[in-house]
Amino acid sequence: MAEVTDSKELPLRKGDYRPAGPDDLRAPCPVLNSLANHGIIARSGRNITAAELKAALRYLGIGFDVTAILVNGAFQVHSDDGKIIARLGLRDKDQVNEDGLPVLNLDQVGRPHAVEHDVSVTRQDRALGDCIHVDPDLLKRFLAAPRTERGFSASDFGKYRKTRYDEQKGDNPALEFDRLKHYIACGELGAIQCVFGRGFPYRVPEEYIQALFGEERLPIEQGWKPRRVPLLLPELGPVVLRVSHFAWPFRGQ
């Protein structure tokens, strides 16, 4: 898949890769950003409907149950009233498109007190810097983290998450990272393990991580293909728990 850097030179087709432009909105999630950069969801990162987002996740091979949980939760109207579902919602009240359908902008994935969290593997904590865009130094360290010869395992991901927590606990006096955030963070890496892992048990190659996190590009040129068997909760759950086991930061609390 050839990169297209100037949409004026050649019309972009769905699936063609183009990095985000200065006016495009992006999320703290490299997978969502990659979907936008390939035109699988709106390249602008604006006015994305639930149906469009569900179709994009199905393209990756994510099953109906995981997709429903992620998208239905995200399209809730956000509120800080203490209810978990409302807290994790990302939309503003009355945020709809011209057809009256609820929509979401990618930058809303990074709104505070929702799913965005401190202790990212490639982003700064909100109190310390830019929590939306990749930090080149953190990416370099992530790529250099210990792993198997075939790539990152779930335990490798978990151990590196624990390393990041220990660092941020010392570096960020305003650190916000409770058990809910922990499981969200482990769920992110667990999903990457299952969707982009190769072989069995899954291993995520370094070149896939570089493409996804460094270029926000689906690693198609590196040999990745969408899953043929949809990823369902019974498969995802144990992987997330394995990441969590090695990442668990609350021992003794």
Side-chain angles (χ1 to χ4, degrees):
M1 181 180 297
E3 177 180 337
V4 179
T5 57
D6 188 345
S7 60
K8 295 181 180 179
E9 294 181 4
L10 185 67
L12 288 169
R13 299 167 300 174
K14 187 174 183 178
D16 288 341
Y17 170 73
R18 185 197 67 188
D23 296 325
D24 294 331
L25 300 179
R26 290 297 182 260
C29 173
V31 176
L32 289 177
N33 293 346
S34 297
L35 289 169
N37 289 343
H38 282 280
I40 297 170
I41 54 177
R43 293 183 186 272
S44 68
R46 292 175 169 83
N47 295 327
I48 300 165
T49 66
E52 290 167 343
L53 186 54
K54 286 180 178 179
L57 296 181
R58 287 196 299 269
Y59 164 79
L60 296 177
I62 298 178
F64 72 94
D65 52 356
V66 180
T67 294
I69 291 171
L70 294 175
V71 178
N72 294 348
F75 271 75
Q76 295 291 319
V77 173
H78 180 79
S79 171
D80 290 323
D81 63 4
K83 296 179 181 178
I84 290 181
I85 293 178
R87 279 178 55 202
L88 298 181
L90 301 176
R91 290 178 53 246
D92 294 326
K93 185 179 179 181
D94 300 325
Q95 185 178 353
V96 297
N97 63 14
E98 59 186 10
D99 297 321
L101 295 174
V103 291
L104 190 66
N105 298 330
L106 283 185
D107 63 336
Q108 290 175 285
V109 178
R111 74 184 306 159
H113 312 302
V115 295
E116 191 274 327
H117 54 83
D118 286 342
V119 196
S120 167
V121 292
T122 59
R123 268 72 171 169
Q124 288 287 347
D125 291 354
R126 181 180 298 276
L128 301 181
D130 184 354
C131 66
I132 299 292
H133 301 96
V134 65
D135 181 290
D137 290 335
L138 289 177
L139 173 62
K140 184 177 179 179
R141 290 180 50 214
F142 184 26
L143 290 168
R147 59 186 180 278
T148 67
E149 291 183 0
R150 293 195 294 115
F152 291 90
S153 66
S155 59
D156 295 330
F157 278 154
K159 291 173 184 176
Y160 190 65
R161 281 220 52 83
K162 180 63 166 60
T163 296
R164 287 287 298 132
Y165 175 82
D166 291 341
E167 292 170 349
Q168 297 310 99
K169 189 175 182 180
D171 292 343
N172 183 5
L175 184 69
E176 295 184 7
F177 198 73
D178 57 14
R179 283 168 170 76
L180 177 60
K181 300 293 188 184
H182 165 79
Y183 283 113
I184 290 173
C186 292
E188 294 163 354
L189 288 179
I192 286 176
Q193 189 77 30
C194 293
V195 172
F196 295 98
R198 199 160 58 182
F200 187 83
Y202 300 131
R203 299 291 186 269
V204 183
E206 176 185 344
E207 58 267 30
Y208 285 17
I209 297 293
Q210 172 61 45
L212 280 169
F213 287 82
E215 304 168 43
E216 299 193 326
R217 173 176 60 80
L218 298 175
I220 297 169
E221 293 179 0
Q222 286 69 36
W224 173 81
K225 296 179 181 179
R227 289 177 56 116
R228 289 181 294 178
V229 178
L231 172 63
L232 300 173
L233 279 174
E235 178 184 351
L236 176 61
V239 178
V240 174
L241 290 177
R242 183 161 179 80
V243 176
S244 172
H245 172 75
F246 288 94
W248 189 254
F250 307 113
R251 290 177 176 86
Q253 297 183 24

